[in-house]
């Protein structure tokens, strides 16, 4: 259930019998021919789809993250690591103050990885709280399902091309893009020159049947972690 669909008395009542919540973490950045908000869309939808049957509240997605390497692509917004650290810390402090003690950070963007360390540090100073960081696309069961379909899958490729991240009237290229070597850190303009449209490599689209299977695996993996608590 979405916090956006609740009033404060309902949250207070929920906290009398459960202390779990989900905070989706996203980003706004280039995704080739997909929505610029792909990471935020996926993180929030997966959170809601996973929490629905468990009755766990889902906070609105933190739509912005850390993405300085895509500065040369219009439409991005990035935080510095210091700003992001402060924001995540204050979010954790806020929900902790209310009584949430099992806090699930469902991340949809690789650049947000510092949230894992932030969560660990937050929990290490409080004996009564647990923070779970979950990067859904690289989690063991999801990644196994992805590579079983096609081992060449990456940022802005078919593995992020769901019906809800697709843009109406925008055609996807049919070829399979070779993987781009991003091992060397470089400036934003050089990164754009290297990536071109922004896909890191792989086909741009596969069948919806295959993508919905991966989505089901992702939901089951999140629910397993939530119920294990």
């Amino acid at each position: 259930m979405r916090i956006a669909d609740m009033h404060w008395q309902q949250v207070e009542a929920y906290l009398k019998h459960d202390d779990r919540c989900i905070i989706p973490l996203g980003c706004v950045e280039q995704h080739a021919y997909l929505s610029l908000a792909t990471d935020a869309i996926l993180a929030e939808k997966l959170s809601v789809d996973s929490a629905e049957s468990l009755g766990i509240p889902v906070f609105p997605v933190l739509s912005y993250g850390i993405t300085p390497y895509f500065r040369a692509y219009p439409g991005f917004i990035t935080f510095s690591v210091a700003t992001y650290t402060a924001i995540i810390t204050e979010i954790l402090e806020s929900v902790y103050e209310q009584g949430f003690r099992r806090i699930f950070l469902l991340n949809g963007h690789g650049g947000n990885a510092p949230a894992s360390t932030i969560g660990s540090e937050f929990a290490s100073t409080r004996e009564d709280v647990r923070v779970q960081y979950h990067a859904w696309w690289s989690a063991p069961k999801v990644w196994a399902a992805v590579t079983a379909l096609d081992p060449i899958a990456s940022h802005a490729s078919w593995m992020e091309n769901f019906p809800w991240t697709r843009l109406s009237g925008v055609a996807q290229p049919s070829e399979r893009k070779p993987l781009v070597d991003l091992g060397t850190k470089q400036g934003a303009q050089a990164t754009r020159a290297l990536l071109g449209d922004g896909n890191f490599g792989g086909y741009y689209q596969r069948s919806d049947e295959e993508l919905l299977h991966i989505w089901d695996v992702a939901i089951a993996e999140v629910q397993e972690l939530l119920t294990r608590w």
Side-chain angles (χ1 to χ4, degrees), residues 145-204:
V146 168
T147 55
L149 285 174
D150 186 343
I152 301 181
S154 63
H155 172 84
S157 76
W158 65 271
M159 68 173 290
E160 294 188 291
N161 190 336
F162 292 88
W164 40 88
T165 58
R166 224 169 281 152
L167 299 173
S168 177
V170 177
Q172 301 289 325
S174 59
E175 69 270 15
R176 188 186 208 180
K177 185 176 180 178
L179 278 171
V180 178
D181 182 5
L182 291 169
T184 302
K185 301 300 181 185
Q186 53 192 342
Q189 291 293 342
T191 297
R192 175 170 172 169
L194 181 64
L195 286 174
D197 63 16
N199 179 346
F200 284 13
Y203 286 112
Y204 290 79

Short mmCIF file of all heavy atoms in Angstrom, two decimals, residues 145-204:
data_model
loop_
_atom_site.label_atom_id
_atom_site.label_comp_id
_atom_site.label_asym_id
_atom_site.label_seq_id
_atom_site.Cartn_x
_atom_site.Cartn_y
_atom_site.Cartn_z
N ALA A 145 17.73 -14.99 -13.85
CA ALA A 145 16.66 -15.02 -14.85
C ALA A 145 17.02 -14.20 -16.07
O ALA A 145 16.72 -14.60 -17.21
CB ALA A 145 15.36 -14.50 -14.22
N VAL A 146 17.67 -13.07 -15.86
CA VAL A 146 18.09 -12.22 -16.97
C VAL A 146 19.11 -12.94 -17.85
O VAL A 146 18.97 -13.03 -19.07
CB VAL A 146 18.68 -10.89 -16.45
CG1 VAL A 146 19.39 -10.13 -17.57
CG2 VAL A 146 17.58 -10.02 -15.84
N THR A 147 20.16 -13.46 -17.23
CA THR A 147 21.22 -14.10 -18.01
C THR A 147 20.78 -15.41 -18.65
O THR A 147 21.35 -15.83 -19.66
CB THR A 147 22.46 -14.32 -17.14
OG1 THR A 147 22.10 -15.06 -15.96
CG2 THR A 147 23.07 -13.00 -16.71
N ALA A 148 19.76 -16.05 -18.07
CA ALA A 148 19.22 -17.26 -18.69
C ALA A 148 18.54 -16.94 -20.01
O ALA A 148 18.55 -17.74 -20.94
CB ALA A 148 18.23 -17.95 -17.74
N LEU A 149 17.98 -15.73 -20.12
CA LEU A 149 17.36 -15.30 -21.37
C LEU A 149 18.39 -14.79 -22.36
O LEU A 149 18.34 -15.10 -23.55
CB LEU A 149 16.33 -14.20 -21.09
CG LEU A 149 15.01 -14.62 -20.47
CD1 LEU A 149 14.18 -13.39 -20.12
CD2 LEU A 149 14.24 -15.52 -21.43
N ASP A 150 19.31 -13.97 -21.85
CA ASP A 150 20.28 -13.32 -22.73
C ASP A 150 21.41 -12.77 -21.86
O ASP A 150 21.19 -11.86 -21.05
CB ASP A 150 19.61 -12.19 -23.49
CG ASP A 150 20.50 -11.55 -24.55
OD1 ASP A 150 21.73 -11.76 -24.49
OD2 ASP A 150 19.96 -10.84 -25.41
N PRO A 151 22.63 -13.30 -21.98
CA PRO A 151 23.72 -12.84 -21.13
C PRO A 151 24.18 -11.42 -21.40
O PRO A 151 24.88 -10.83 -20.58
CB PRO A 151 24.84 -13.84 -21.42
CG PRO A 151 24.54 -14.36 -22.79
CD PRO A 151 23.04 -14.40 -22.88
N ILE A 152 23.79 -10.86 -22.55
CA ILE A 152 24.16 -9.47 -22.84
C ILE A 152 22.97 -8.58 -22.51
O ILE A 152 22.04 -8.42 -23.30
CB ILE A 152 24.60 -9.29 -24.31
CG1 ILE A 152 25.79 -10.20 -24.62
CG2 ILE A 152 24.97 -7.83 -24.57
CD1 ILE A 152 26.30 -10.08 -26.04
N ALA A 153 23.00 -8.06 -21.29
CA ALA A 153 21.93 -7.19 -20.81
C ALA A 153 22.58 -6.11 -19.96
O ALA A 153 23.49 -6.39 -19.18
CB ALA A 153 20.93 -7.99 -19.98
N SER A 154 22.11 -4.89 -20.10
CA SER A 154 22.80 -3.80 -19.43
C SER A 154 21.88 -2.58 -19.31
O SER A 154 20.70 -2.64 -19.65
CB SER A 154 24.05 -3.41 -20.23
OG SER A 154 23.66 -2.92 -21.52
N HIS A 155 22.47 -1.49 -18.85
CA HIS A 155 21.75 -0.22 -18.72
C HIS A 155 21.11 0.19 -20.04
O HIS A 155 21.75 0.19 -21.09
CB HIS A 155 22.74 0.87 -18.27
CG HIS A 155 22.17 2.25 -18.30
ND1 HIS A 155 21.43 2.76 -17.26
CD2 HIS A 155 22.23 3.22 -19.23
CE1 HIS A 155 21.06 3.98 -17.56
NE2 HIS A 155 21.53 4.30 -18.76
N ALA A 156 19.82 0.50 -19.98
CA ALA A 156 19.04 0.99 -21.12
C ALA A 156 18.85 -0.04 -22.22
O ALA A 156 18.42 0.30 -23.32
CB ALA A 156 19.64 2.26 -21.70
N SER A 157 19.15 -1.30 -21.93
CA SER A 157 18.92 -2.36 -22.90
C SER A 157 17.56 -3.01 -22.61
O SER A 157 16.75 -2.50 -21.84
CB SER A 157 20.03 -3.41 -22.85
OG SER A 157 19.88 -4.25 -21.71
N TRP A 158 17.33 -4.17 -23.20
CA TRP A 158 16.04 -4.85 -23.09
C TRP A 158 15.63 -5.13 -21.65
O TRP A 158 14.43 -5.15 -21.33
CB TRP A 158 16.09 -6.17 -23.87
CG TRP A 158 17.05 -7.18 -23.31
CD1 TRP A 158 18.37 -7.32 -23.64
CD2 TRP A 158 16.78 -8.17 -22.32
NE1 TRP A 158 18.95 -8.33 -22.91
CE2 TRP A 158 17.99 -8.88 -22.09
CE3 TRP A 158 15.64 -8.51 -21.60
CZ2 TRP A 158 18.07 -9.92 -21.18
CZ3 TRP A 158 15.72 -9.56 -20.68
CH2 TRP A 158 16.93 -10.26 -20.48
N MET A 159 16.59 -5.33 -20.75
CA MET A 159 16.24 -5.73 -19.38
C MET A 159 15.56 -4.61 -18.60
O MET A 159 15.00 -4.86 -17.53
CB MET A 159 17.47 -6.21 -18.62
CG MET A 159 18.50 -5.16 -18.30
SD MET A 159 19.83 -5.77 -17.23
CE MET A 159 18.96 -5.99 -15.67
N GLU A 160 15.57 -3.37 -19.12
CA GLU A 160 14.84 -2.27 -18.49
C GLU A 160 13.66 -1.82 -19.33
O GLU A 160 12.97 -0.86 -18.98
CB GLU A 160 15.78 -1.08 -18.25
CG GLU A 160 16.88 -1.37 -17.23
CD GLU A 160 17.66 -0.12 -16.86
OE1 GLU A 160 18.41 0.38 -17.72
OE2 GLU A 160 17.51 0.33 -15.72
N ASN A 161 13.42 -2.53 -20.42
CA ASN A 161 12.37 -2.14 -21.36
C ASN A 161 11.06 -2.87 -21.05
O ASN A 161 10.69 -3.85 -21.69
CB ASN A 161 12.84 -2.44 -22.79
CG ASN A 161 11.92 -1.83 -23.83
OD1 ASN A 161 10.75 -1.57 -23.58
ND2 ASN A 161 12.45 -1.63 -25.02
N PHE A 162 10.37 -2.38 -20.03
CA PHE A 162 9.08 -2.90 -19.63
C PHE A 162 7.97 -2.04 -20.23
O PHE A 162 8.22 -0.90 -20.65
CB PHE A 162 8.96 -2.89 -18.10
CG PHE A 162 9.87 -3.86 -17.40
CD1 PHE A 162 11.16 -3.49 -17.05
CD2 PHE A 162 9.44 -5.14 -17.09
CE1 PHE A 162 12.01 -4.38 -16.40
CE2 PHE A 162 10.27 -6.03 -16.43
CZ PHE A 162 11.56 -5.66 -16.09
N PRO A 163 6.75 -2.55 -20.28
CA PRO A 163 5.65 -1.72 -20.79
C PRO A 163 5.53 -0.38 -20.08
O PRO A 163 5.12 0.61 -20.68
CB PRO A 163 4.41 -2.59 -20.55
CG PRO A 163 4.93 -4.00 -20.60
CD PRO A 163 6.30 -3.92 -19.98
N TRP A 164 5.93 -0.33 -18.81
CA TRP A 164 5.77 0.89 -18.02
C TRP A 164 6.99 1.82 -18.07
O TRP A 164 6.98 2.88 -17.46
CB TRP A 164 5.41 0.56 -16.57
CG TRP A 164 6.14 -0.62 -16.01
CD1 TRP A 164 7.36 -0.62 -15.38
CD2 TRP A 164 5.69 -1.97 -16.01
NE1 TRP A 164 7.70 -1.90 -15.00
CE2 TRP A 164 6.70 -2.75 -15.37
CE3 TRP A 164 4.55 -2.61 -16.50
CZ2 TRP A 164 6.59 -4.13 -15.20
CZ3 TRP A 164 4.44 -3.99 -16.32
CH2 TRP A 164 5.45 -4.72 -15.68
N THR A 165 8.05 1.42 -18.77
CA THR A 165 9.18 2.35 -18.98
C THR A 165 9.29 2.77 -20.44
O THR A 165 10.10 3.63 -20.78
CB THR A 165 10.52 1.71 -18.55
OG1 THR A 165 10.73 0.50 -19.28
CG2 THR A 165 10.53 1.43 -17.06
N ARG A 166 8.47 2.18 -21.28
CA ARG A 166 8.46 2.48 -22.71
C ARG A 166 7.73 3.79 -22.98
O ARG A 166 6.81 4.15 -22.24
CB ARG A 166 7.74 1.33 -23.43
CG ARG A 166 8.39 0.83 -24.69
CD ARG A 166 7.73 -0.46 -25.13
NE ARG A 166 8.21 -1.60 -24.36
CZ ARG A 166 7.50 -2.70 -24.12
NH1 ARG A 166 6.27 -2.81 -24.58
NH2 ARG A 166 8.04 -3.67 -23.41
N LEU A 167 8.11 4.47 -24.04
CA LEU A 167 7.48 5.73 -24.42
C LEU A 167 6.60 5.53 -25.65
O LEU A 167 7.03 4.92 -26.63
CB LEU A 167 8.54 6.78 -24.71
CG LEU A 167 9.46 7.13 -23.53
CD1 LEU A 167 10.58 8.05 -23.99
CD2 LEU A 167 8.68 7.75 -22.39
N SER A 168 5.39 6.03 -25.57
CA SER A 168 4.44 5.89 -26.66
C SER A 168 4.98 6.52 -27.94
O SER A 168 5.48 7.65 -27.93
CB SER A 168 3.11 6.55 -26.28
OG SER A 168 2.19 6.48 -27.34
N GLY A 169 4.90 5.77 -29.02
CA GLY A 169 5.30 6.28 -30.32
C GLY A 169 6.79 6.29 -30.59
O GLY A 169 7.23 6.76 -31.63
N VAL A 170 7.60 5.77 -29.65
CA VAL A 170 9.05 5.73 -29.82
C VAL A 170 9.47 4.32 -30.21
O VAL A 170 9.28 3.37 -29.44
CB VAL A 170 9.78 6.16 -28.53
CG1 VAL A 170 11.29 6.04 -28.72
CG2 VAL A 170 9.40 7.58 -28.15
N ALA A 171 10.03 4.17 -31.40
CA ALA A 171 10.46 2.87 -31.88
C ALA A 171 11.82 2.49 -31.29
O ALA A 171 12.68 3.35 -31.08
CB ALA A 171 10.54 2.88 -33.41
N GLN A 172 12.00 1.21 -31.01
CA GLN A 172 13.26 0.71 -30.49
C GLN A 172 14.10 0.13 -31.64
O GLN A 172 13.56 -0.57 -32.51
CB GLN A 172 13.01 -0.40 -29.46
CG GLN A 172 12.17 0.03 -28.27
CD GLN A 172 12.92 0.95 -27.34
OE1 GLN A 172 14.12 0.82 -27.15
NE2 GLN A 172 12.22 1.89 -26.74
N PRO A 173 15.40 0.37 -31.67
CA PRO A 173 16.25 -0.26 -32.69
C PRO A 173 16.15 -1.79 -32.60
O PRO A 173 15.93 -2.34 -31.52
CB PRO A 173 17.65 0.22 -32.33
CG PRO A 173 17.42 1.50 -31.57
CD PRO A 173 16.16 1.29 -30.80
N SER A 174 16.33 -2.45 -33.70
CA SER A 174 16.18 -3.91 -33.72
C SER A 174 17.51 -4.65 -33.57
O SER A 174 17.53 -5.84 -33.26
CB SER A 174 15.53 -4.35 -35.04
OG SER A 174 16.32 -3.94 -36.15
N GLU A 175 18.63 -3.93 -33.74
CA GLU A 175 19.93 -4.62 -33.69
C GLU A 175 20.36 -4.87 -32.25
O GLU A 175 19.82 -4.31 -31.30
CB GLU A 175 21.00 -3.81 -34.43
CG GLU A 175 21.40 -2.51 -33.73
CD GLU A 175 20.58 -1.33 -34.17
OE1 GLU A 175 19.51 -1.55 -34.80
OE2 GLU A 175 20.98 -0.19 -33.87
N ARG A 176 21.37 -5.71 -32.12
CA ARG A 176 21.98 -5.98 -30.81
C ARG A 176 23.25 -5.15 -30.72
O ARG A 176 24.21 -5.36 -31.46
CB ARG A 176 22.32 -7.46 -30.69
CG ARG A 176 22.77 -7.89 -29.31
CD ARG A 176 23.22 -9.35 -29.34
NE ARG A 176 23.06 -10.02 -28.07
CZ ARG A 176 23.38 -11.29 -27.85
NH1 ARG A 176 23.87 -12.01 -28.85
NH2 ARG A 176 23.21 -11.83 -26.67
N LYS A 177 23.26 -4.20 -29.80
CA LYS A 177 24.40 -3.30 -29.68
C LYS A 177 25.55 -4.00 -28.95
O LYS A 177 25.34 -4.63 -27.91
CB LYS A 177 23.99 -2.05 -28.89
CG LYS A 177 25.08 -0.98 -28.80
CD LYS A 177 24.54 0.26 -28.08
CE LYS A 177 25.61 1.33 -27.97
NZ LYS A 177 25.09 2.56 -27.31
N PRO A 178 26.78 -3.92 -29.47
CA PRO A 178 27.92 -4.52 -28.75
C PRO A 178 28.11 -3.85 -27.39
O PRO A 178 27.83 -2.66 -27.23
CB PRO A 178 29.11 -4.22 -29.68
CG PRO A 178 28.50 -3.95 -31.02
CD PRO A 178 27.17 -3.31 -30.75
N LEU A 179 28.56 -4.63 -26.43
CA LEU A 179 28.82 -4.07 -25.10
C LEU A 179 29.89 -2.99 -25.18
O LEU A 179 30.91 -3.16 -25.85
CB LEU A 179 29.26 -5.16 -24.14
CG LEU A 179 28.15 -6.00 -23.51
CD1 LEU A 179 28.75 -7.19 -22.73
CD2 LEU A 179 27.26 -5.18 -22.60
N VAL A 180 29.66 -1.89 -24.49
CA VAL A 180 30.61 -0.79 -24.45
C VAL A 180 31.50 -0.94 -23.22
O VAL A 180 31.01 -1.22 -22.13
CB VAL A 180 29.87 0.57 -24.40
CG1 VAL A 180 30.85 1.72 -24.31
CG2 VAL A 180 28.95 0.72 -25.61
N ASP A 181 32.78 -0.80 -23.40
CA ASP A 181 33.74 -0.89 -22.30
C ASP A 181 33.79 0.44 -21.56
O ASP A 181 34.30 1.42 -22.06
CB ASP A 181 35.13 -1.26 -22.82
CG ASP A 181 36.14 -1.43 -21.70
OD1 ASP A 181 35.75 -1.36 -20.52
OD2 ASP A 181 37.33 -1.63 -22.01
N LEU A 182 33.24 0.44 -20.34
CA LEU A 182 33.22 1.66 -19.53
C LEU A 182 34.19 1.57 -18.36
O LEU A 182 34.02 2.24 -17.34
CB LEU A 182 31.80 1.90 -19.00
CG LEU A 182 30.76 2.28 -20.05
CD1 LEU A 182 29.37 2.24 -19.47
CD2 LEU A 182 31.05 3.67 -20.62
N GLY A 183 35.21 0.74 -18.51
CA GLY A 183 36.15 0.52 -17.42
C GLY A 183 36.96 1.74 -17.04
O GLY A 183 37.35 1.90 -15.88
N THR A 184 37.21 2.64 -17.97
CA THR A 184 38.00 3.83 -17.69
C THR A 184 37.08 5.00 -17.38
O THR A 184 36.19 5.33 -18.17
CB THR A 184 38.88 4.19 -18.91
OG1 THR A 184 39.73 3.10 -19.21
CG2 THR A 184 39.72 5.42 -18.60
N LYS A 185 37.26 5.62 -16.22
CA LYS A 185 36.46 6.78 -15.85
C LYS A 185 36.89 7.98 -16.69
O LYS A 185 38.08 8.21 -16.91
CB LYS A 185 36.64 7.10 -14.36
CG LYS A 185 36.24 5.96 -13.44
CD LYS A 185 34.80 5.55 -13.61
CE LYS A 185 34.42 4.43 -12.67
NZ LYS A 185 33.05 3.94 -12.90
N GLN A 186 35.92 8.74 -17.17
CA GLN A 186 36.22 9.87 -18.03
C GLN A 186 35.13 10.93 -17.91
O GLN A 186 34.14 10.73 -17.21
CB GLN A 186 36.35 9.40 -19.48
CG GLN A 186 35.16 8.60 -19.99
CD GLN A 186 35.43 7.92 -21.30
OE1 GLN A 186 36.35 8.26 -22.02
NE2 GLN A 186 34.62 6.95 -21.64
N GLY A 187 35.31 12.04 -18.57
CA GLY A 187 34.37 13.14 -18.48
C GLY A 187 33.04 12.84 -19.13
O GLY A 187 32.89 11.87 -19.89
N ALA A 188 32.06 13.71 -18.84
CA ALA A 188 30.71 13.48 -19.32
C ALA A 188 30.62 13.51 -20.85
O ALA A 188 29.92 12.69 -21.45
CB ALA A 188 29.77 14.52 -18.71
N GLN A 189 31.31 14.44 -21.49
CA GLN A 189 31.25 14.52 -22.95
C GLN A 189 31.87 13.29 -23.60
O GLN A 189 31.36 12.76 -24.58
CB GLN A 189 31.95 15.79 -23.44
CG GLN A 189 31.23 17.09 -23.09
CD GLN A 189 29.91 17.24 -23.82
OE1 GLN A 189 29.65 16.57 -24.82
NE2 GLN A 189 29.07 18.13 -23.32
N ALA A 190 32.99 12.82 -23.03
CA ALA A 190 33.63 11.60 -23.55
C ALA A 190 32.74 10.39 -23.34
O ALA A 190 32.68 9.49 -24.19
CB ALA A 190 34.98 11.40 -22.88
N THR A 191 32.04 10.35 -22.22
CA THR A 191 31.11 9.25 -21.95
C THR A 191 29.99 9.23 -22.98
O THR A 191 29.62 8.17 -23.51
CB THR A 191 30.53 9.36 -20.53
OG1 THR A 191 31.59 9.26 -19.57
CG2 THR A 191 29.51 8.28 -20.26
N ARG A 192 29.45 10.41 -23.28
CA ARG A 192 28.39 10.47 -24.28
C ARG A 192 28.91 10.06 -25.65
O ARG A 192 28.22 9.33 -26.40
CB ARG A 192 27.80 11.88 -24.34
CG ARG A 192 26.77 12.03 -25.45
CD ARG A 192 25.99 13.32 -25.38
NE ARG A 192 25.17 13.48 -26.57
CZ ARG A 192 24.21 14.39 -26.74
NH1 ARG A 192 23.96 15.25 -25.76
NH2 ARG A 192 23.54 14.46 -27.86
N ALA A 193 30.10 10.50 -26.01
CA ALA A 193 30.68 10.13 -27.30
C ALA A 193 30.87 8.62 -27.41
O ALA A 193 30.68 8.02 -28.47
CB ALA A 193 32.01 10.85 -27.50
N LEU A 194 31.24 8.00 -26.29
CA LEU A 194 31.46 6.55 -26.27
C LEU A 194 30.16 5.77 -26.35
O LEU A 194 30.04 4.78 -27.09
CB LEU A 194 32.22 6.17 -25.00
CG LEU A 194 32.57 4.69 -24.80
CD1 LEU A 194 33.53 4.20 -25.89
CD2 LEU A 194 33.17 4.48 -23.41
N LEU A 195 29.14 6.24 -25.62
CA LEU A 195 27.88 5.50 -25.52
C LEU A 195 26.91 5.80 -26.66
O LEU A 195 26.05 4.98 -26.97
CB LEU A 195 27.19 5.82 -24.20
CG LEU A 195 27.78 5.21 -22.94
CD1 LEU A 195 27.05 5.75 -21.72
CD2 LEU A 195 27.67 3.69 -22.98
N GLY A 196 27.02 6.96 -27.25
CA GLY A 196 26.05 7.31 -28.29
C GLY A 196 24.66 7.45 -27.71
O GLY A 196 24.41 8.31 -26.88
N ASP A 197 23.75 6.55 -28.09
CA ASP A 197 22.36 6.67 -27.64
C ASP A 197 22.19 6.37 -26.15
O ASP A 197 21.14 6.66 -25.57
CB ASP A 197 21.42 5.81 -28.48
CG ASP A 197 21.73 4.31 -28.37
OD1 ASP A 197 22.44 3.88 -27.44
OD2 ASP A 197 21.24 3.55 -29.24
N GLY A 198 23.19 5.75 -25.53
CA GLY A 198 23.12 5.51 -24.09
C GLY A 198 22.97 4.07 -23.66
O GLY A 198 23.20 3.74 -22.49
N ASN A 199 22.55 3.20 -24.56
CA ASN A 199 22.49 1.77 -24.25
C ASN A 199 23.92 1.25 -24.05
O ASN A 199 24.78 1.48 -24.89
CB ASN A 199 21.80 1.04 -25.42
CG ASN A 199 21.71 -0.47 -25.24
OD1 ASN A 199 22.36 -1.06 -24.39
ND2 ASN A 199 20.90 -1.09 -26.08
N PHE A 200 24.17 0.54 -22.96
CA PHE A 200 25.51 0.02 -22.69
C PHE A 200 25.83 -1.22 -23.52
O PHE A 200 26.98 -1.61 -23.62
CB PHE A 200 25.65 -0.34 -21.21
CG PHE A 200 25.82 0.84 -20.28
CD1 PHE A 200 25.57 2.13 -20.70
CD2 PHE A 200 26.23 0.64 -18.97
CE1 PHE A 200 25.71 3.21 -19.85
CE2 PHE A 200 26.38 1.71 -18.11
CZ PHE A 200 26.12 2.99 -18.54
N GLY A 201 24.81 -1.86 -24.08
CA GLY A 201 25.03 -3.04 -24.90
C GLY A 201 23.89 -4.03 -24.79
O GLY A 201 23.26 -4.16 -23.74
N GLY A 202 23.61 -4.73 -25.88
CA GLY A 202 22.54 -5.72 -25.91
C GLY A 202 21.39 -5.28 -26.78
O GLY A 202 21.35 -4.16 -27.31
N TYR A 203 20.40 -6.19 -26.94
CA TYR A 203 19.19 -5.83 -27.67
C TYR A 203 18.44 -4.74 -26.91
O TYR A 203 18.54 -4.63 -25.69
CB TYR A 203 18.28 -7.05 -27.83
CG TYR A 203 18.77 -8.04 -28.87
CD1 TYR A 203 19.22 -9.30 -28.49
CD2 TYR A 203 18.78 -7.71 -30.22
CE1 TYR A 203 19.67 -10.21 -29.44
CE2 TYR A 203 19.23 -8.61 -31.18
CZ TYR A 203 19.68 -9.86 -30.78
OH TYR A 203 20.13 -10.74 -31.71
N TYR A 204 17.68 -3.98 -27.63
CA TYR A 204 16.91 -2.90 -27.02
C TYR A 204 15.57 -3.40 -26.47
O TYR A 204 14.99 -2.79 -25.57
CB TYR A 204 16.65 -1.79 -28.04
CG TYR A 204 17.89 -1.02 -28.41
CD1 TYR A 204 18.82 -1.55 -29.33
CD2 TYR A 204 18.17 0.22 -27.85
CE1 TYR A 204 19.96 -0.84 -29.67
CE2 TYR A 204 19.31 0.94 -28.19
CZ TYR A 204 20.21 0.39 -29.09
OH TYR A 204 21.35 1.09 -29.42
#
